[in-house]
Amino acid sequence: MTLFTDRALNRATLARQHLLERTDMTALRMIEHLVGMQAQSPYPPYTGLWSRLRAFRHQELAGLLTDRSAVRLLLHRGTVHLVSASDCLTLRPVMQPVIERMYVTARAVREAGDPAVIAEHTLELLDKGPMTPRELGEALGERVPDVSPRLLADVARARLALVQVPPRAVWGAGGVTRYAAAEAWLGEKLLAAGLPDVIRRYLAAFGPATVADVQAWCGLTRLREVTDAMSGLVRLSGEHGAELLDLPDAPRPDPGVPAPVRFLPDFDNAVLSHADRGRIVAEQHRKSLFLRNGIVPGSFLVDGMVAGTWRADGGVVTLSPFGRLTAPQIGELEEEGTLLAGFLAPPGKSSGVRIA
């Protein structure tokens, strides 16, 4: 097997994430290329797309949500993801075992009863129109008494593909979470994609990768049986001996290619989608990025690696580096950060960047 160094792994992943060079593809195409974007907070995907696309504007993603070309729902790892309508219909059935394992627990079944009955009630209720989690839980509580409404709502959104409808996550509009059944919202039936196809798409966006990496990304288990049966994969040897799977025609740039400063939003999958995150987050910085409360703040890359976190307040982007930066690195961060601040600033607000 060909030896693949950590540096080469970093550059290959950045290239596939379009973090080495922005691209002209549409926002919808990028969302599909990334096989979804983690989005339990409504607005981070806007920054994730801005960092990868040359001419991205807020209205492009807002339009995809309002015209139902893209939706947000529970998917990989049981977390909310932004996906295209097509991927919603084909990926949700694939991730269903992960979601049910997390939310339809033995305790939930013991307290709430048959999840299939809750799902049936939910569809009848949502047929009248989208509902907030509280409204749904309380309405289910009238049909399944003496059970926590929150538990009932959690079982419902795990058992069924429920999408969060606009104006939630629409830039400049906002709104509370309201659920609709995916099939009714999109006018098509769920139909599971094949696991080999899903794995190939993961490698195209996040590879080269180990089987453990694929499983960490999606939450599914026993994928070694699937990859062992897949033909046409390239098998590489990582610097520390792990077997890496890859697509034969996927980009694997020279390890020496420069990596520009890039800003990643909260919970970006570029830092979450591998069992071994060392390709993009150095071991000494893990605790500073992956916080104990489960929050993964926005981060910035210097020479391809996470070098600190950032936050936006009004029109000001504040950077918190993990260590000392060189003058050229600071200059590049200030230049890119100023552009990001302008992108995120509310209308009429001045924008800028500062380094804490």
Side-chain angles (χ1 to χ4, degrees):
M1 289 190 292
T2 303
L3 179 65
F4 211 70
T5 66
D6 289 346
R7 175 85 172 189
L9 194 59
N10 171 269
R11 291 309 195 255
T13 305
L14 294 179
R16 297 174 203 198
Q17 287 285 307
H18 293 279
L19 294 170
L20 284 183
E21 184 177 358
R22 285 181 167 94
T23 177
D24 290 323
M25 71 172 62
T26 65
L28 185 62
R29 179 69 190 91
M30 178 59 74
I31 293 167
E32 290 191 327
H33 169 71
L34 297 173
V35 207
M37 304 178 74
Q38 190 158 330
Q40 63 262 56
S41 296
Y43 299 116
Y46 287 86
T47 299
L49 291 169
W50 176 86
S51 289
R52 293 170 168 94
L53 302 176
R54 287 198 182 95
F56 175 69
R57 297 291 181 269
H58 307 92
Q59 295 81 0
E60 187 177 0
L61 176 52
L64 295 176
L65 291 166
T66 54
D67 72 10
R68 309 191 187 190
S69 296
V71 294
R72 297 168 64 246
L73 79 165
L74 287 181
L75 272 176
H76 323 320
R77 304 183 299 278
T79 57
V80 176
H81 273 65
L82 168 73
V83 291
S84 70
S86 174
D87 277 349
C88 168
L89 297 167
T90 58
L91 291 178
R92 176 55 191 253
V94 175
M95 306 303 171
Q96 189 65 28
V98 179
I99 297 166
E100 292 211 20
R101 184 173 70 236
M102 295 181 66
Y103 294 99
V104 189
T105 62
R107 172 181 169 273
V109 173
R110 186 170 59 251
E111 293 186 14
D114 188 351
V117 173
I118 296 173
E120 184 178 346
H121 289 320
T122 300
L123 291 175
E124 292 174 357
L125 291 166
L126 292 180
D127 190 50
K128 301 172 185 176
M131 304 177 74
T132 67
R134 181 175 179 177
E135 290 169 345
L136 177 59
E138 291 177 349
L140 286 170
E142 295 177 1
R143 300 187 178 203
V144 187
D146 303 321
V147 181
S148 161
R150 180 172 181 176
L151 175 62
L152 291 170
D154 282 345
V155 171
R157 73 176 186 140
R159 186 72 174 188
L160 295 168
L162 301 184
V163 300
Q164 299 185 20
V165 303
R168 183 68 170 169
V170 173
W171 193 272
V176 299
T177 298
R178 291 184 183 277
Y179 294 133
E183 290 185 337
W185 184 253
L186 299 175
E188 295 187 52
K189 295 292 185 181
L190 298 169
L191 181 63
L195 271 177
D197 289 338
V198 174
I199 292 170
R200 288 188 179 91
R201 289 185 62 189
Y202 168 81
L203 293 175
F206 297 94
T210 65
V211 174
D213 289 331
V214 185
Q215 294 180 159
W217 165 71
C218 63
L220 294 167
T221 58
R222 301 183 67 178
L223 293 185
R224 171 75 64 180
E225 301 171 9
V226 181
T227 59
D228 283 350
M230 291 173 61
S231 61
L233 295 182
V234 174
R235 298 178 188 271
L236 309 167
S237 178
E239 188 171 316
H240 307 287
E243 181 189 61
L244 300 167
L245 306 177
D246 206 6
L247 304 175
D249 56 351
R252 290 184 284 273
D254 186 289
V257 67
V261 161
R262 286 290 183 262
F263 285 84
L264 300 177
D266 301 358
F267 301 104
D268 195 280
N269 273 340
V271 299
L272 289 175
S273 297
H274 301 90
D276 181 359
R277 296 164 177 170
R279 70 180 65 202
I280 197 168
V281 185
E283 181 61 32
Q284 66 267 30
H285 297 149
R286 285 176 59 88
K287 290 183 179 179
S288 299
L289 184 64
F290 305 113
L291 307 180
R292 289 184 178 180
N293 59 4
I295 299 299
V296 182
S299 59
F300 57 84
L301 307 181
V302 174
D303 192 26
M305 299 292 289
V306 172
T309 61
W310 66 274
R311 69 180 188 276
D313 183 13
V316 177
V317 169
T318 301
L319 315 183
S320 299
F322 293 153
R324 292 182 64 85
L325 299 167
T326 67
Q329 289 169 342
I330 291 173
E332 192 177 357
L333 279 166
E334 288 178 336
E335 181 179 356
E336 185 78 357
T338 298
L339 295 174
L340 175 62
F343 174 78
L344 296 176
K349 278 271 189 179
S350 59
S351 61
V353 61
R354 74 180 189 92
I355 298 180

Tab-separated table of all heavy atoms in Angstrom, residues 98 101 195 215 218-224 226:
chain	number	residue	atom	x	y	z
A	98	VAL	N	-29.391	4.913	13.651
A	98	VAL	CA	-28.613	5.754	14.559
A	98	VAL	C	-29.538	6.646	15.376
A	98	VAL	O	-29.406	6.768	16.603
A	98	VAL	CB	-27.613	6.626	13.768
A	98	VAL	CG1	-26.826	7.528	14.711
A	98	VAL	CG2	-26.678	5.759	12.943
A	101	ARG	N	-31.610	4.689	17.886
A	101	ARG	CA	-30.766	4.221	18.990
A	101	ARG	C	-30.571	5.325	20.032
A	101	ARG	O	-30.493	5.061	21.226
A	101	ARG	CB	-29.414	3.765	18.447
A	101	ARG	CG	-28.487	3.158	19.509
A	101	ARG	CD	-27.245	2.577	18.868
A	101	ARG	NE	-26.353	3.585	18.342
A	101	ARG	CZ	-25.923	3.636	17.086
A	101	ARG	NH1	-26.329	2.728	16.208
A	101	ARG	NH2	-25.093	4.589	16.684
A	195	LEU	N	-25.634	1.837	0.938
A	195	LEU	CA	-24.506	2.188	1.793
A	195	LEU	C	-23.205	2.394	1.015
A	195	LEU	O	-22.448	3.331	1.307
A	195	LEU	CB	-24.320	1.120	2.874
A	195	LEU	CG	-25.100	1.335	4.176
A	195	LEU	CD1	-24.893	0.172	5.117
A	195	LEU	CD2	-24.680	2.636	4.835
A	215	GLN	N	-17.527	5.651	10.214
A	215	GLN	CA	-18.496	5.356	11.266
A	215	GLN	C	-18.658	6.536	12.220
A	215	GLN	O	-19.768	6.818	12.693
A	215	GLN	CB	-18.080	4.093	12.017
A	215	GLN	CG	-18.134	2.858	11.138
A	215	GLN	CD	-17.723	1.572	11.849
A	215	GLN	OE1	-18.072	0.468	11.409
A	215	GLN	NE2	-16.976	1.677	12.921
A	218	CYS	N	-21.040	9.169	10.483
A	218	CYS	CA	-22.472	8.897	10.336
A	218	CYS	C	-23.116	8.279	11.566
A	218	CYS	O	-24.330	8.388	11.744
A	218	CYS	CB	-22.716	8.003	9.124
A	218	CYS	SG	-21.976	6.364	9.240
A	219	GLY	N	-22.318	7.615	12.410
A	219	GLY	CA	-22.879	6.953	13.574
A	219	GLY	C	-23.259	5.508	13.343
A	219	GLY	O	-23.608	4.799	14.297
A	220	LEU	N	-23.200	5.037	12.093
A	220	LEU	CA	-23.490	3.639	11.806
A	220	LEU	C	-22.314	2.765	12.232
A	220	LEU	O	-21.177	3.241	12.360
A	220	LEU	CB	-23.759	3.441	10.313
A	220	LEU	CG	-25.017	4.119	9.767
A	220	LEU	CD1	-25.006	4.109	8.245
A	220	LEU	CD2	-26.267	3.436	10.293
A	221	THR	N	-22.568	1.490	12.445
A	221	THR	CA	-21.522	0.558	12.869
A	221	THR	C	-21.416	-0.600	11.873
A	221	THR	O	-22.220	-0.729	10.949
A	221	THR	CB	-21.824	0.016	14.268
A	221	THR	OG1	-23.117	-0.636	14.257
A	221	THR	CG2	-21.846	1.136	15.297
A	222	ARG	N	-20.386	-1.409	12.050
A	222	ARG	CA	-20.146	-2.617	11.247
A	222	ARG	C	-20.020	-2.298	9.756
A	222	ARG	O	-20.448	-3.064	8.900
A	222	ARG	CB	-21.261	-3.643	11.481
A	222	ARG	CG	-21.386	-4.066	12.938
A	222	ARG	CD	-22.445	-5.119	13.132
A	222	ARG	NE	-22.067	-6.379	12.488
A	222	ARG	CZ	-22.811	-7.492	12.530
A	222	ARG	NH1	-23.965	-7.478	13.169
A	222	ARG	NH2	-22.411	-8.592	11.916
A	223	LEU	N	-19.402	-1.176	9.449
A	223	LEU	CA	-19.241	-0.799	8.045
A	223	LEU	C	-18.055	-1.492	7.383
A	223	LEU	O	-17.915	-1.445	6.161
A	223	LEU	CB	-19.102	0.722	7.911
A	223	LEU	CG	-20.350	1.527	8.279
A	223	LEU	CD1	-20.129	3.001	7.995
A	223	LEU	CD2	-21.583	1.022	7.522
A	224	ARG	N	-17.194	-2.133	8.187
A	224	ARG	CA	-16.093	-2.893	7.597
A	224	ARG	C	-16.622	-3.965	6.645
A	224	ARG	O	-16.037	-4.214	5.592
A	224	ARG	CB	-15.256	-3.528	8.706
A	224	ARG	CG	-14.196	-4.520	8.234
A	224	ARG	CD	-13.009	-3.832	7.604
A	224	ARG	NE	-12.295	-3.010	8.561
A	224	ARG	CZ	-11.219	-2.298	8.251
A	224	ARG	NH1	-10.771	-2.292	7.001
A	224	ARG	NH2	-10.613	-1.562	9.162
A	226	VAL	N	-19.153	-3.743	4.801
A	226	VAL	CA	-19.558	-3.084	3.555
A	226	VAL	C	-18.331	-2.707	2.732
A	226	VAL	O	-18.263	-2.991	1.528
A	226	VAL	CB	-20.407	-1.829	3.852
A	226	VAL	CG1	-20.841	-1.156	2.550
A	226	VAL	CG2	-21.629	-2.198	4.693
